[in-house]
Amino acid sequence: MKIWCCLCFGEEEEEYKNKSATMGEREGILGNLDFDDCKYEEIGSDEELGSGKQDDGGEFRLQPGEGTSKSSGEGSTLEVNLNLSLGGESSSSSAVAVLERDGLDRDSHSKRPKVHSLALDCDSFLLSMPFQENMTDNEYERMHNTSSHYLCSASEEDASPLMSNIWRMEEDENVQPEMDDREIRMDLTDDLLHMVFSFLGHIDLCRAAEVCRQWRVASAHEDFWRILNFENRNISPLQFEDMCRRYPNATQVNINGSPAIHTLVMQAISSLRNLEVLTLGKGQLGETFFQALTDCTMLKSLIVTDAILGNGIQEIPIYHDSLKHIQIVKCRVVRISVRCPQLLTLSLKRSSMAHAVLNCPLLHDLDIASCHKLLDAAIRSAVTSCPLVESLDMSNCSCVSDETLREISTTCTNLHVLNASYCPNISLESVRLTMLTVLKLHSCEGITSASMAAISHSYMLEVLELYNCSLLTSVFLDLPRLQNIRLVHCRKFVDLRLRSAVLSSIKVSNCPSLQRINIVSNSLQKLVLQKQESLTSLELQCQRLQEVDLTDCESLTNSICEVFSDGSGCPMLKSLILDNCESLTEVEFHSKSLTSLSLAGCRAITSLELTCPYLEQVSLDGCDHLERATFSPVGLRSLNLGICPKLNTLKIEAPTMVLLELKGCGVLSEALINCPLLTSLDASFCSQLKDDCLSATTASCPLIDSLILMSCPSVGSDGLLSLRWLPNLTSLDLSYTFLTNLQPVFDSCLQLKVLKLQACKYLTDTSLEPLYKDGALPTLRELDLSYGGLCQASIEELLACCTHLTHVSLNGCVNMHDLNWSFRSEGEQPERLLQNLNCVGCPNVKKVLIPSVARFTHLSSLNISLSSNLKEVDVACLNLCFLNLSNCSSLEILKLDCPRLTSLFLQSCNISEKAVESAISHCNMLETLDVRFCQKISPASMGRLRAACPSLKRIFSSLVPI
């Protein structure tokens, strides 16, 4: 494959060379890309770049073998022409000319290659190195005087590899081989470049300038350099002067943190007549700078940060007719005078002046926060001289007094926003700020309940913040426009009463003494009052309130239920959280709007009554003393009461409930459950649940398909007979019961598929005879008889006759001796559907023989682990995949004819290596073998095992011999 990198130049080449000097000088200031093995060469000369040559048509082509990649197969080449037009003849017409000259078919444009530009692997020169380190004065002067354009190229010995990576093309997957001789071009016009470059910053523009001549000219356009940002850059006065000369139309300059800011800013003022925004700081500014500001007539914004103004003894004047925004932040100055008739915002935040004279008749926003040296009289004089001020921040001005605020309220009648935080001497008791909309009072030690009377006259107030007001005890406010109130860390605060039709946000936090809250609002939708340990009374008239969180309000009593029930002041309440309210004992809610209720951690509740027809979610975690519960009616779909061990009386009326868990309700004796859609009921360990309760439940819940009655010893034959009302019952668990007769189950549960009878010690050998003699439960698929007392004969008859069973568990059956199917090989055997057989921990089993004629064709999993007396296993099952013989310490003989076996577990078996090797040799699909802790199998013999069974992927063995 051959790659052409073509740069087309028109009649404007001489003009371009003149512009290139500008780009070179700009780059000298912003920093050059530092390539270890790159140099700059003039593109306009006939000098070769690598082995590439410039042809007569103005195209630069890389010759085959040098900077190109040849295609595999045929000797043809695929050429990529990247035409970058600079004027004169258009790039598109130039492309047509090349096509005509080479006789190429115009159809070559039907497939587009993927072109990737070489990523310039260099650190940001604006961020990584100071300007003076990038370019010395001599180098800068040499670039300033040159008019040639520079292009980054590799050193002579590495030219071809570098150029071959500048443009890298990957053929489209649909390109046919016959297109290898065709030429494909890309056309990037100047307008397109200008649009793309408008999204780039200065760093990226400098990087783009290194690509080619056209990009260098495009990136130097003055539209991209109206903002000169040299913040924290080590730019020299010579370089800054040159930048100002090259871009005289710049409107914004930032030299904050640059050295010699006074010299630089004076140069900016004298050179940039269109300057609108000036940012500087971290240095010393002389008086001449402020005097020269008047010459910068277009200046609209001045920002000075962390600077020394003047010589520290004289007054600093800022006189300007056009300035609208001034920030003098964290500056050291003795006295400042500002006379700006158009000024709108002024910030003197954290500055050290003791006097400030302001003559700004249009000033709207004044910030004198943390001006610790400003005395009360100085603040009063400065603020009252600006009668139109609307926002005032005087936080951390410790000298300000109520007298000053009174005079400000009289003079500044348009004051809307006041931040008087950390002003310990103000109390507002005699101050009237009628037009105030935002008031912030953080850590104001003088604010008391009497101050609220003064604040109540601010009838326009919308936002009130009271943080850490240690003497505040009560807040009574009736403000028609109040929307937001914050009360935080008010330690003596006891009583809160608010009335506002538009109140929408309330935050009360860390007020440990708060006892009473009364809120009237038509806009409040969410109320959060967490960790108010002393709160005992809550009155709400909030027509739109939907969410309430009263977590950890330990003193709330049962009366809180009336606040959130029908007929109260919260008719739209949907979510209520009362977690860890440990004083609640009897909870009763009647609400037609409530959908979510949480009572987690309310350990003292003994009685719960919910009449909430739309209630969808309830949490009772930790309510371990609940004795009586009524849910009638509720909209719950599921309910878990197994976490309430003392529950003895239950009534549920839930038309949509499908899942009910009563697991662990050991003293539950009365249960009235009316859930017509209920499908699953778990009553495990409900030892007091009797037949009458079970009968009533089955009659009112006819759709139950899964019923768990494990460890319910009080359930007898009458209760089991009631199961006939459950035509959909498919799963029944009667484990750990005292049943002696299963006939009611056989008669009532005709559709049963799963029957669990674990540890039913009182079942006799004849209890299961209807299964294998009379054909009872024909749809039964899973049977669990683990830890039962059935004899060997009953088990054999069951496995022989119940051919429809797919899962059988006989774990821990002490009366089972052998699984020997060899004696049943005589005559034709029926096909058995058994898939999973578990005989874990059967201590008397000594032999397992399952020949192929037994027709266990569907058996896929066999687990006989923990059978300590098992000595011989001979299994021939076509579809067996999983065999577990772990911890069968007496195992000696293992014969397997299981071609699809994938996993074999022999952990802690006393079987010989030869027996294992012989057994797995017939298992052609075996992947996993576990022989850990097998005393007779050495880790060194793993190779022989792999040789005996090449399909093995994983062998688990002990690291060291046992």
Side-chain angles (χ1 to χ4, degrees):
M1 181 188 299
K2 181 172 69 177
I3 301 177
W4 289 5
C5 295
C6 305
L7 306 177
C8 297
F9 308 107
E11 298 176 356
E12 299 179 357
E13 184 172 352
E14 292 300 327
E15 179 182 355
Y16 166 77
K17 289 184 177 181
N18 294 333
K19 292 182 179 180
S20 65
T22 301
M23 200 64 208
E25 294 158 4
R26 170 175 63 89
E27 194 169 280
I29 297 172
L30 292 178
N32 293 325
L33 291 175
D34 186 13
F35 291 102
D36 294 338
D37 54 354
C38 293
K39 64 180 180 180
Y40 292 95
E41 298 180 359
E42 295 187 15
I43 194 67
S45 64
D46 292 333
E47 186 178 1
E48 296 181 359
L49 179 62
S51 298
K53 295 181 175 58
Q54 189 173 2
D55 63 10
D56 296 336
E59 295 181 352
F60 186 88
R61 304 195 178 197
L62 292 180
Q63 300 300 328
E66 302 183 22
T68 64
S69 59
K70 293 185 179 181
S71 60
S72 59
E74 301 178 1
S76 60
T77 61
L78 178 63
E79 301 175 349
V80 180
N81 186 343
L82 304 178
N83 259 318
L84 306 179
S85 175
L86 292 178
E89 183 181 359
S90 66
S91 59
S92 59
S93 61
S94 176
V96 173
V98 174
L99 284 174
E100 293 176 352
R101 181 174 67 249
D102 295 339
L104 298 178
D105 190 352
R106 189 179 297 270
D107 291 340
S108 63
H109 294 277
S110 62
K111 299 297 181 181
R112 181 180 301 173
K114 302 176 183 177
V115 180
H116 305 276
S117 62
L118 173 66
L120 299 177
D121 188 12
C122 61
D123 293 333
S124 171
F125 35 81
L126 280 178
L127 300 177
S128 63
M129 60 186 72
F131 295 137
Q132 292 180 353
E133 293 177 3
N134 291 335
M135 181 174 294
T136 63
D137 292 341
N138 293 335
E139 291 173 341
Y140 180 81
E141 185 66 25
R142 184 168 63 254
M143 180 166 285
H144 173 75
N145 295 328
T146 183
S147 61
S148 60
H149 173 68
Y150 293 90
L151 178 68
C152 179
S153 65
S155 57
E156 293 180 0
E157 61 273 13
D158 295 332
S160 295
L162 177 63
M163 292 304 296
S164 65
N165 285 317
I166 290 181
W167 296 100
R168 184 173 67 251
M169 186 200 73
E170 297 173 1
E171 294 186 43
D172 189 273
E173 59 184 359
N174 297 321
V175 175
Q176 301 299 326
E178 57 268 24
M179 293 188 62
D180 289 347
D181 292 332
R182 298 175 181 177
E183 185 179 79
I184 303 171
R185 290 177 171 79
M186 291 176 54
D187 186 5
L188 297 178
T189 64
D190 292 339
D191 292 338
L192 177 60
L193 277 179
H194 191 89
M195 181 185 67
V196 174
F197 284 2
S198 65
F199 295 96
L200 302 182
H202 290 168
I203 296 176
D204 295 324
L205 285 172
C206 290
R207 289 173 174 169
E210 299 294 336
V211 174
C212 64
R213 180 176 300 183
Q214 183 196 20
W215 286 30
R216 181 180 289 266
V217 172
S219 64
H221 198 283
E222 66 176 5
D223 287 350
F224 309 139
W225 298 90
R226 295 192 183 276
I227 300 176
L228 304 180
N229 186 357
F230 303 106
E231 184 175 4
N232 296 323
R233 303 301 168 201
N234 192 14
I235 183 171
S236 67
L238 176 63
Q239 292 172 331
F240 184 77
E241 179 183 359
D242 188 73
M243 288 296 291
C244 293
R245 180 174 58 83
R246 293 298 180 183
Y247 301 102
N249 293 324
T251 59
Q252 297 184 34
V253 171
N254 186 344
I255 53 174
N256 186 28
S258 299
I261 60 171
H262 183 81
T263 303
L264 299 182
V265 73
M266 295 302 293
Q267 181 62 45
I269 292 176
S270 61
S271 302
L272 306 177
R273 294 301 178 182
N274 295 322
L275 188 62
E276 296 180 0
V277 179
L278 179 58
T279 303
L280 61 158
K282 296 182 181 179
Q284 185 168 4
L285 294 173
E287 185 180 2
T288 55
F289 159 68
F290 297 99
Q291 295 173 352
L293 276 179
T294 55
D295 299 332
C296 198
T297 57
M298 302 295 292
L299 191 64
K300 297 295 187 297
S301 177
L302 174 64
I303 302 174
V304 183
T305 305
D306 195 14
I308 300 175
L309 309 184
N311 57 12
I313 58 175
Q314 78 274 27
E315 179 180 273
I316 296 300
I318 302 179
Y319 302 154
H320 201 283
D321 293 335
S322 300
L323 268 175
K324 293 185 177 181
H325 308 282
I326 297 179
Q327 292 185 29
I328 309 293
V329 179
K330 199 180 177 181
C331 292
R332 291 174 289 282
V333 58
V334 175
R335 182 184 177 93
I336 191 169
S337 176
V338 182
R339 186 176 64 193
C340 300
Q342 301 295 324
L343 194 64
L344 298 178
T345 64
L346 173 62
S347 176
L348 302 174
K349 189 174 183 178
R350 300 178 64 186
S351 295
S352 62
M353 64 278 181
H355 301 279
V357 179
L358 306 182
N359 187 0
C360 309
L362 299 181
L363 188 66
H364 288 172
D365 192 334
L366 177 59
D367 185 355
I368 55 175
S370 300
C371 294
H372 300 290
K373 293 186 178 181
L374 274 180
L375 300 179
D376 187 35
I379 295 174
R380 185 186 316 158
S381 174
V383 177
T384 54
S385 64
C386 306
L388 297 182
V389 68
E390 296 180 356
S391 176
L392 174 61
D393 188 347
M394 54 172 48
S395 58
N396 278 292
C397 293
S398 56
C399 296
V400 69
S401 64
D402 281 344
E403 183 180 353
T404 295
L405 288 177
R406 280 193 295 270
E407 189 166 343
I408 291 175
S409 65
T410 303
T411 306
C412 305
T413 55
N414 293 323
L415 186 62
H416 296 318
V417 180
L418 175 61
N419 187 350
S421 301
Y422 302 97
C423 297
N425 297 326
I426 64 172
S427 65
L428 300 180
E429 292 185 8
S430 58
V431 180
R432 300 292 183 267
L433 297 168
T434 56
M435 300 301 293
L436 207 61
T437 58
V438 178
L439 177 59
K440 297 181 180 181
L441 300 171
H442 298 189
S443 298
C444 295
E445 300 175 1
I447 296 298
T448 63
S449 299
S451 305
M452 297 301 107
I455 294 177
S456 62
H457 289 86
S458 301
Y459 62 93
M460 300 290 290
L461 193 63
E462 298 177 358
V463 178
L464 175 60
E465 294 184 3
L466 299 169
Y467 283 36
N468 199 25
C469 296
S470 56
L471 299 180
L472 184 64
T473 58
S474 61
V475 173
F476 300 158
L477 292 177
D478 186 355
L479 298 173
R481 296 176 180 266
L482 186 63
Q483 300 178 16
N484 190 317
I485 185 170
R486 298 286 184 268
L487 293 160
V488 180
H489 287 291
C490 298
R491 298 183 178 180
K492 297 184 179 180
F493 186 53
V494 175
D495 201 347
L496 173 63
R497 298 184 184 181
L498 299 174
R499 180 183 294 272
S500 174
V502 295
L503 185 63
S504 59
S505 177
I506 298 176
K507 180 180 179 179
V508 180
S509 177
N510 291 299
C511 298
S513 301
L514 182 60
Q515 298 179 8
R516 295 175 295 277
I517 295 180
N518 188 321
I519 300 174
V520 178
S521 171
N522 292 330
S523 300
L524 188 65
Q525 295 185 4
K526 184 175 182 179
L527 178 62
V528 179
L529 299 171
Q530 296 181 353
K531 296 183 178 181
Q532 303 304 318
E533 295 88 351
S534 301
L535 183 63
T536 57
S537 175
L538 179 63
E539 298 181 17
L540 300 176
Q541 292 294 326
C542 304
Q543 302 301 313
R544 296 186 179 181
L545 187 62
Q546 297 184 12
E547 300 179 34
V548 176
D549 188 348
L550 298 171
T551 301
D552 293 316
C553 294
E554 300 175 356
S555 300
L556 284 177
T557 61
N558 298 333
S559 60
I560 193 67
C561 300
E562 300 176 1
V563 178
F564 302 112
S565 293
D566 290 340
S568 62
C570 306
M572 298 181 65
L573 185 67
K574 293 183 177 181
S575 175
L576 177 60
I577 301 177
L578 294 170
D579 293 349
N580 300 318
C581 295
E582 298 186 356
S583 296
L584 296 177
T585 57
E586 296 183 1
V587 176
E588 181 178 353
F589 288 107
H590 301 268
S591 174
K592 295 180 180 179
S593 62
L594 195 64
T595 61
S596 177
L597 174 64
S598 180
L599 296 169
C602 298
R603 302 183 181 279
I605 293 181
T606 58
S607 176
L608 175 63
E609 182 176 346
L610 299 179
T611 305
C612 307
Y614 297 102
L615 186 65
E616 298 177 355
Q617 184 178 359
V618 62
S619 176
L620 299 173
D621 294 347
C623 298
D624 47 14
H625 287 80
L626 183 64
E627 298 177 359
R628 300 175 302 280
T630 300
F631 303 85
S632 179
V634 291
L636 296 171
R637 289 184 57 84
S638 63
L639 178 62
N640 182 6
L641 293 174
I643 51 181
C644 305
K646 295 186 178 181
L647 185 66
N648 57 59
T649 303
L650 175 63
K651 179 182 178 181
I652 300 178
E653 183 181 348
T656 60
M657 184 174 292
V658 296
L659 175 64
L660 176 60
E661 292 190 21
L662 301 175
K663 185 176 182 179
C665 296
V667 296
L668 182 63
S669 57
E670 298 181 18
L672 179 58
I673 302 174
N674 184 9
C675 304
L677 298 182
L678 190 67
T679 60
S680 178
L681 173 61
D682 186 351
S684 303
F685 302 101
C686 293
S687 56
Q688 302 299 321
L689 192 64
K690 295 182 173 55
D691 289 344
D692 55 346
C693 292
L694 181 59
S695 300
T697 301
T698 56
S700 59
C701 307
L703 298 182
I704 292 178
D705 58 24
S706 176
L707 179 61
I708 302 177
L709 298 174
M710 183 172 63
S711 295
C712 294
S714 300
V715 174
S717 298
D718 293 340
L720 295 179
L721 284 173
S722 68
L723 299 182
R724 65 182 181 275
W725 302 111
L726 304 178
N728 298 323
L729 186 64
T730 59
S731 178
L732 177 62
D733 190 347
L734 297 173
S735 301
Y736 296 93
T737 57
F738 300 151
L739 296 175
T740 59
N741 184 12
L742 293 177
Q743 193 61 42
V745 176
F746 298 146
D747 295 338
S748 305
C749 308
L750 301 180
Q751 302 298 323
L752 200 63
K753 294 182 179 180
V754 179
L755 178 60
K756 295 184 179 181
L757 300 170
Q758 293 185 31
C760 292
K761 301 291 186 180
Y762 294 94
L763 289 178
T764 63
D765 294 337
T766 60
S767 298
L768 295 176
E769 284 186 358
L771 281 179
Y772 56 83
K773 287 187 178 182
D774 301 333
L777 304 179
T779 61
L780 190 65
R781 294 295 179 265
E782 299 184 23
L783 179 62
D784 191 347
L785 298 172
S786 301
Y787 309 105
L790 294 181
C791 66
Q792 175 75 17
S794 299
I795 294 175
E796 290 179 352
E797 291 293 333
L798 179 69
L799 294 177
C801 300
C802 297
T803 57
H804 55 281
L805 293 177
T806 60
H807 293 71
V808 176
S809 294
L810 299 169
N811 304 323
C813 291
V814 295
N815 294 330
M816 185 172 64
H817 300 287
D818 293 327
L819 285 175
N820 188 350
W821 289 89
S822 60
F823 67 93
R824 296 184 180 274
S825 60
E826 300 177 0
E828 185 178 357
Q829 296 293 319
E831 184 177 1
R832 309 180 193 283
L833 301 180
L834 188 63
Q835 300 175 10
N836 191 309
L837 178 59
N838 294 320
C839 299
V840 178
C842 297
N844 295 319
V845 173
K846 298 180 180 180
K847 181 184 299 186
V848 176
L849 298 177
I850 305 179
S852 58
V853 294
R855 301 196 65 182
F856 280 93
T857 55
H858 296 278
L859 186 63
S860 61
S861 176
L862 179 59
N863 190 348
I864 321 177
S865 59
L866 294 170
S867 299
S868 56
N869 292 316
L870 181 62
K871 293 184 178 182
E872 180 181 354
V873 174
D874 187 350
V875 178
C877 294
L878 178 63
N879 292 309
L880 188 65
C881 299
F882 177 90
L883 177 58
N884 190 353
L885 300 172
S886 298
N887 294 285
C888 295
S889 55
S890 301
L891 185 63
E892 297 177 355
I893 301 174
L894 178 61
K895 297 180 181 180
L896 300 177
D897 186 7
C898 306
R900 297 185 180 179
L901 186 66
T902 59
S903 300
L904 176 60
F905 295 87
L906 299 171
Q907 186 178 153
S908 301
C909 290
N910 196 25
I911 190 172
S912 65
E913 177 183 324
K914 185 177 180 180
V916 174
E917 184 178 346
S918 175
I920 65 176
S921 62
H922 301 288
C923 303
N924 299 327
M925 299 181 65
L926 186 63
E927 296 180 355
T928 303
L929 176 62
D930 189 349
V931 291
R932 287 175 292 181
F933 310 111
C934 293
Q935 298 180 0
K936 296 182 179 181
I937 300 179
S938 172
S941 62
M942 296 302 104
R944 290 194 296 272
L945 296 179
R946 290 185 181 275
C949 184
S951 62
L952 273 174
K953 296 181 179 179
R954 294 169 294 275
I955 299 180
F956 299 97
S957 64
S958 302
L959 296 179
V960 295
I962 304 298

